[in-house]
Amino acid sequence: MSRSTTGGDDEGPEHSEATWRRALDISEDRPIDPLDVRELPPPEPLQETLERVADLDEETVLVQLNDREPQFLYPKLDDRGFEYRTETVGDVALTAIWR
């Protein structure tokens, strides 16, 4: 698990897979499954993310886009044995989740 913050990005990180890969250090050979939860009211971001990771295969990295760090998600991912990393790029918290 790791978390950090980087400066703004004019590319529009919420729409750029290249930005996600660079910020979260995701290998080019791993598929990305994006999940934008910024418009969902609590607790839907947590519920939606946990539903998606339940079906995550060994190769795919789920990238959650959120307007804040998903603090309540981290212990649930730990309990389920997932790895994750959060980076803040501009005003978007990007969280990579993988097995």
Side-chain angles (χ1 to χ4, degrees):
M1 182 240 359
S2 68
R3 302 176 213 159
S4 71
T5 302
T6 60
D9 187 344
D10 294 333
E11 281 183 45
E14 65 274 14
H15 299 293
S16 173
E17 185 175 307
T19 299
W20 303 341
R21 287 186 186 280
R22 186 172 52 252
L24 295 165
D25 194 28
I26 301 171
S27 170
E28 287 290 328
D29 62 338
R30 295 195 73 171
I32 289 178
D33 181 14
L35 175 60
D36 189 342
V37 298
R38 291 175 291 174
E39 301 295 321
L40 299 177
E44 290 178 32
L46 176 65
Q47 293 169 336
E48 184 69 26
T49 303
L50 291 175
E51 286 175 17
R52 292 280 284 275
V53 298
D55 296 326
L56 201 61
D57 63 42
E58 296 290 327
E59 298 298 316
T60 303
V61 177
L62 178 72
V63 175
Q64 184 205 65
L65 289 76
N66 205 330
D67 58 358
R68 66 184 64 97
E69 281 195 35
Q71 297 294 328
F72 296 109
L73 177 62
Y74 299 141
K76 304 234 182 254
L77 293 173
D78 289 336
D79 290 347
R80 290 164 173 79
F82 285 95
E83 299 286 328
Y84 55 91
R85 176 181 303 124
T86 296
E87 298 286 341
T88 301
V89 178
D91 62 352
V92 178
L94 301 169
T95 301
I97 304 165
W98 67 95
R99 291 187 183 273

